[in-house]
């Protein structure tokens, strides 16, 4: 599947060039919108000397540069607020669930965090860390994004009042799912960094992901 994914890596600039028959043009940003199905939003790869972050569509096998993708969260994602304090006081939240059957039933994304394409024996402790380094909604810092598993076990929280829940370490060769929650509609920009140690040297990659939450 990795060979297929690399073959299908899609760049907005390349797509524009193909569509225009090779004419030089400025491509539109976020040329691809993903709104349903199994998608590894955070998918790390190692090319032998550097780490990279991509979005991997498990449905088609396509792999995308995050700058070329908008992740769409429709109004159908709204659910009753389960009442965890970090989710705010609103009666509803927009939820991309950790359960694939629930995601499919709602017609929303089933988001994953993947290290399955990182091999054992490369990174110290056979692990890498994903860190949430920034989060905005409609251009301003936001407290309205979190990722949690099960009955409110937080993995990430964009609330700047706490330094906790900003990073999580995963073993290589794993595939992970949790609930992605948004407390308000709007355009979110989520910046994640993946890092690991190779031969005593820290290797890292940082990308920003666009999520549009509809009211």
């Amino acid at each position: 599947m990795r060979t297929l994914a690399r073959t299908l890596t899609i760049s907005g600039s390349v797509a524009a060039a193909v569509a225009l028959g090779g004419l030089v043009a400025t491509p539109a940003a976020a040329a691809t919108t993903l709104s349903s199905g199994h998608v590894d939003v955070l998918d790390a790869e190692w090319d032998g000397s550097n780490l990279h972050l991509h979005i991997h569509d498990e449905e088609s096998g396509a792999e995308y540069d995050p700058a070329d993708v908008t992740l769409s969260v429709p109004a159908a994602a709204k659910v009753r607020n389960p009442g965890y304090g970090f989710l705010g006081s609103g009666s509803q939240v927009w939820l991309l669930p950790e359960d694939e059957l629930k995601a499919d039933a709602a017609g929303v994304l089933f988001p994953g965090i993947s290290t399955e394409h990182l091999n054992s024996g490369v990174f110290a402790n056979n692990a890498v860390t994903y860190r949430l380094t920034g989060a905005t909604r409609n251009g301003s810092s936001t407290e309205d994004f979190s990722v949690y598993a099960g009955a409110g076990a937080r993995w990430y929280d964009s609330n700047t009042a706490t330094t906790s829940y900003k990073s999580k370490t995963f073993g290589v060769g794993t595939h992970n799912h949790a609930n992605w929650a948004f407390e308000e509609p709007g355009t979110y920009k989520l910046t994640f960094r993946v890092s690991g140690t190779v031969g005593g040297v820290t290797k890292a990659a940082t990308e920003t992901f666009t999520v549009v939450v509809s009211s």
Side-chain angles (χ1 to χ4, degrees), residues 34-200:
L34 300 176
S35 59
S36 63
H38 184 174
V39 173
D40 290 335
V41 178
L42 303 179
D43 181 26
E45 293 186 19
W46 173 251
D47 66 6
S49 52
N50 293 292
L51 272 169
H52 301 275
L53 265 178
H54 301 287
I55 294 173
H56 184 73
D57 185 346
E58 291 281 351
E59 304 294 335
S60 67
E63 190 172 83
Y64 300 93
D65 184 327
D68 293 332
V69 174
T70 293
L71 300 168
S72 176
V73 181
K78 283 192 285 189
V79 300
R80 181 179 60 83
N81 189 329
Y84 308 128
F86 60 87
L87 291 178
S89 58
S91 62
Q92 293 182 311
V93 296
W94 285 253
L95 193 71
L96 301 179
E98 64 185 345
D99 183 300
E100 187 168 14
L101 292 179
K102 290 181 179 179
D104 288 346
V108 301
L109 288 166
F110 176 52
I113 300 177
S114 176
T115 65
E116 64 184 320
H117 305 120
L118 300 178
N119 295 326
S120 178
V122 176
F123 297 93
N125 301 316
N126 283 321
V128 296
T129 297
Y130 282 106
R131 174 174 289 275
L132 176 65
T133 64
T136 64
R137 182 175 69 86
N138 298 337
S140 299
S141 180
T142 184
E143 301 177 356
D144 297 333
F145 168 70
S146 56
V147 178
Y148 69 93
R154 268 182 289 180
W155 289 10
Y156 298 98
D157 191 334
S158 66
N159 189 343
T160 56
T162 176
T163 57
S164 301
Y165 312 112
K166 299 299 186 287
S167 67
K168 186 171 177 61
T169 298
F170 299 90
V172 300
T174 65
H175 197 106
N176 310 277
H177 289 274
N179 302 287
W180 291 52
F182 304 85
E183 297 167 39
E184 298 288 345
T187 298
Y188 290 75
K189 298 285 188 177
L190 308 174
T191 302
F192 280 91
R193 178 179 187 263
V194 62
S195 63
T197 301
V198 179

